Each structure stands twice: as C-alpha cells, then as structure tokens.
Amino acid sequence: MSQIHFHSDFYEAIKNGNKIQTARVDEPVPELGKGEAIFDDKPSIEIQITKVIHKSFDELTIEEIKKDGFDSKEELWSVLLGFYPDLKQTDHLMLIEFSAIETD
C-alpha cells in the first residue's frame, strides 16, 4: 500500500473530497489501489489511488488544477514553489489522482 505525505493544511480538503489530486516532483510512483494519505499532526486518511500521469506545469488544464484543490494556475504555482523552489514551469510533474475512502 502506497503512502503519500501531505502538509496538514490539505487535511480537510482531502477528507471532504475537494482535493482529489496531488502534483509531485522526484518522488516514487505510487501503486494504484488502496493507499494512505499521511500527515505530520493529523490522523491518516485511507485513499484509493486511481491514476498517475506525468506532464509539465505548462500543460495542466484548469480541470486538473481544480482537482488539486486550487482555483487558478497562479495559485497552484505559488504553492508548488513553496515545496519545490527550483521548479520550472516546463519541468515534469507526477499527477496522482485519488479519492478518500469513507470509514466509519
């Protein structure tokens, strides 16, 4: 089962289904299927990893940006630079699509 680490700022958005994708750079490709969203200071969330694709930031569509939980390319770019300060818009990103699994 793949584990994907997230900043705790994204906890609620993942839990409530507003964030169903994450963009990563230079990380191992996760396996499709059951996985776990891991946070430093919050409980983990069970997820289903449904798709992994690679493309540059330049190639992202507004639909993909919204899956990541952002309203504009500029907003996502600003957050990505916080995690990857040397990132260029032509660098390839790994887009991991997932959904939170309801647990009772």
Side-chain angles (χ1 to χ4, degrees), residues 27-87:
E27 289 192 22
V29 177
E31 292 179 30
L32 297 182
K34 277 194 175 179
E36 198 172 21
I38 306 292
F39 305 86
D40 286 339
D41 58 353
K42 303 224 183 273
S44 62
I45 298 173
E46 195 172 336
I47 58 173
Q48 184 75 22
I49 301 168
T50 55
K51 185 169 152 184
V52 177
I53 62 170
H54 296 86
K55 59 171 40 179
S56 70
F57 181 83
D58 285 353
E59 298 170 315
L60 292 180
T61 66
I62 192 67
E63 178 186 62
E64 289 166 329
I65 289 162
K66 288 185 182 282
K67 285 180 183 180
D68 217 305
F70 299 95
D71 292 322
S72 70
K73 262 190 153 174
E74 293 76 19
E75 189 180 1
L76 175 58
W77 182 247
S78 175
V79 170
L80 285 173
L81 285 179
F83 291 109
Y84 309 107
D86 297 327
L87 189 66

Side-chain angles (χ1 to χ4, degrees), residues 1-16:
M1 174 167 47
S2 294
Q3 292 184 331
I4 303 173
H5 289 82
F6 288 91
H7 191 280
S8 59
D9 288 352
F10 298 120
Y11 183 80
E12 288 301 322
I14 292 170
K15 192 171 180 176
N16 66 28

